[in-house]
Amino acid sequence: MRAMQIPYDHPLLLSIVDDLAVKGWSQQNIFLPEGLTLELAAECHKRAAEGELAPAAVGRGPFQEIREGIRGDHIQWLEPGEAAICDTYLNLMDSLRLAMNRGLFLGLEDFESHFAMYPPGAFYLKHVDRFRDDDRRMVSAVVYLNDAWLPEHGGQLRMYLKDNVEYDVVPTGGCLVVFLSGEVPHEVLPATRERLSLTGWFRRRGNEPF
Ligand code: OGA
Ligand code: MN
């Protein structure tokens, strides 16, 4: 059993909180230790082989539909207690949640996340990670699980920042990108190879009755 707890005042978490406060996003190229990245990638592959990943839908509730012309990834939502390695990831993200609550007063109450596998050629068109009828998602967090990714493989996360600045993240294993869900439009460019990630959202409590 590997218990990896990191305190919410770890320098890495503080620097993410700092970036979010100053510019609304953060990139940490060396966030997940290599062993953890490899084990999470193996877990994702295992689930894909067992047919547990399904084409991702767009929209929410009864309006969900599969639209590969909008997003072509296959996903599976995580639940705590399914696999020790996933719990390690969830614990890490919980430390980040506490760090953000302390440093940014966001009142983040939970974290939802899924594995995502983009087959070669799949993409996700420009979007914002917030639903029109549900503004609970405050902070998006993506960690990449790809071994030896090169820029020429494509698959960049393209973020549309202030002042017409576009910024591309190469989805290298162990890298974490965090951004304010309502404020950073972004897209996933197609890649020449399979692209794996864990994507999640820190949420505050909603006011709405559903
Ligand atoms: C998403 C998303 C970005 C990425 O799942 O909403 O934008 O780099 N993912 O995988
Ligand atoms: Mn997104």
Side-chain angles (χ1 to χ4, degrees):
M1 200 65 180
R2 64 169 44 239
M4 199 181 66
Q5 289 290 355
I6 92 165
Y8 57 73
D9 59 356
H10 188 286
L12 188 55
L13 300 184
L14 294 182
S15 96
I16 295 170
V17 169
D18 216 50
D19 282 347
L20 281 171
V22 171
K23 57 180 188 170
W25 65 282
S26 182
Q27 174 181 0
Q28 302 296 328
N29 287 329
I30 307 174
F31 182 71
L32 292 187
E34 199 176 346
L36 181 53
T37 306
L38 289 172
E39 281 187 62
L40 287 167
E43 179 70 20
C44 185
H45 277 130
K46 180 180 138 223
R47 293 176 182 213
E50 288 168 352
E52 290 178 7
L53 272 55
V58 292
R60 209 174 83 81
F63 306 106
Q64 284 201 354
E65 41 181 358
I66 311 293
R67 300 270 301 271
E68 282 174 7
I70 297 179
R71 69 182 291 191
D73 56 331
H74 294 227
I75 67 167
Q76 188 192 30
W77 291 94
L78 293 194
E79 297 294 341
E82 286 170 349
I85 195 66
C86 294
D87 289 350
T88 299
Y89 158 76
L90 290 172
N91 286 337
L92 194 52
M93 299 317 272
D94 206 54
S95 297
L96 176 55
R97 183 181 68 84
L98 295 174
M100 292 189 290
N101 280 347
R102 274 191 76 102
L104 302 167
F105 307 104
L106 287 177
L108 304 170
E109 296 213 319
D110 71 14
F111 180 68
E112 54 175 5
S113 65
H114 61 58
F115 278 115
M117 192 267 290
Y118 288 74
F123 53 85
Y124 193 159
L125 294 185
K126 185 174 174 183
H127 65 280
V128 176
D129 283 350
R130 222 182 226 187
F131 301 107
R132 265 187 293 279
D133 62 344
D134 180 352
D135 62 1
R136 285 175 296 172
R137 286 180 171 182
M138 297 295 290
V139 179
S140 305
V142 192
V143 296
Y144 299 104
L145 307 177
N146 305 300
D147 192 31
W149 195 277
L150 298 173
E152 52 265 40
H153 294 143
Q156 291 89 345
L157 167 67
R158 177 164 294 168
M159 294 192 284
Y160 296 86
L161 306 172
K162 287 192 192 82
D163 304 319
N164 286 323
V165 173
E166 292 179 12
Y167 182 84
D168 285 357
V169 176
V170 174
T172 312
C175 172
L176 166 78
V177 180
V178 177
F179 52 86
L180 297 177
S181 302
E183 292 181 20
V184 182
H186 56 280
E187 68 178 310
V188 177
L189 302 180
T192 56
R193 52 176 277 203
E194 189 177 271
R195 177 190 192 273
L196 303 182
S197 63
L198 272 166
T199 302
W201 296 273
F202 296 94
R203 303 191 303 181
R204 64 180 174 197
R205 189 199 299 269
N207 305 316
E208 53 295 282
F210 36 73

